[in-house]
Amino acid sequence: MSLAHQVELCTVAGAWRLLPGSALSLKPKADAVLRLRRGGVWVTLGETDHGMPDASGDRFLREGEALLVPAGARVVMESLQSQGTDGPVLFDWTDLAVNPAAASRFRREVVTPSRELVLALGQAAVALVRVLRGLQGYSEYLVAGRGRVLTPLESMRS
């Protein structure tokens, strides 16, 4: 497969190109994933606006590897490709919160009621078991006066 054909396959919606010897700076507003399709990059991940120093630092990514980029972190990427022979680096940049309104609506209208239903069914099962135990204990009381011979200790309680 020729290099030109590989570039065409990878340059679909969401795929970006970084030419050899160049750098790119990004600062996402929401958590995102950087995934390399072709080539290698040197990534410097700055601290986020929320002060997460553990996430910052330098990383080298190769083809097929991915990096989670927290919201507000400054990302600087530099191509590791050599000019003239290797071609551009191809990568995808995907926001994790693609449609927050749809996600929150799904959570509000499906996930939360489902959890409430599971909780309610669990409570109903516990209540049913308690009722059955109570009826079982009460049945001895009802039967005791109808043909059942009481033990000496039971007859003393009455």
Side-chain angles (χ1 to χ4, degrees):
M1 187 182 305
S2 72
L3 178 62
H5 186 61
Q6 289 176 349
V7 171
E8 286 177 23
L9 288 177
C10 294
T11 55
V12 293
W16 294 32
R17 293 168 41 162
L18 181 62
L19 297 174
S22 60
L24 176 67
S25 177
L26 300 167
K27 188 172 182 179
K29 293 181 181 178
D31 291 348
V33 175
L34 168 68
R35 184 175 317 276
L36 256 53
R37 297 286 184 191
R38 185 178 168 282
V41 292
W42 173 15
V43 179
T44 301
L45 189 61
E47 289 186 21
T48 65
D49 294 338
H50 309 292
M52 296 172 47
D54 295 341
S56 62
D58 290 342
R59 292 172 176 78
F60 292 94
L61 297 178
R62 295 282 178 200
E63 187 171 320
E65 294 181 336
L67 175 67
L68 176 63
V69 180
R74 184 182 170 124
V75 178
V76 178
M77 295 186 335
E78 185 175 343
S79 173
L80 294 176
Q81 309 292 85
S82 61
Q83 290 186 1
T85 57
D86 292 334
V89 171
L90 302 174
F91 66 95
D92 288 333
W93 181 267
T94 308
D95 285 340
L96 292 180
V98 174
N99 189 351
S104 64
R105 180 178 175 201
F106 181 79
R107 177 172 284 131
R108 183 180 66 246
E109 294 180 2
V110 176
V111 174
T112 301
S114 298
R115 287 182 182 160
E116 291 171 354
L117 177 63
V118 168
L119 181 63
L121 290 175
Q123 290 174 343
V126 169
L128 179 62
V129 168
R130 291 179 64 196
V131 166
L132 292 176
R133 281 186 183 167
L135 287 175
Q136 181 183 10
Y138 189 67
S139 67
E140 290 179 7
Y141 173 77
L142 292 176
V143 173
R146 301 196 178 155
R148 181 172 161 247
V149 178
L150 299 175
T151 65
L153 290 176
E154 289 177 327
S155 62
M156 290 174 52
R157 280 194 244 170
S158 305

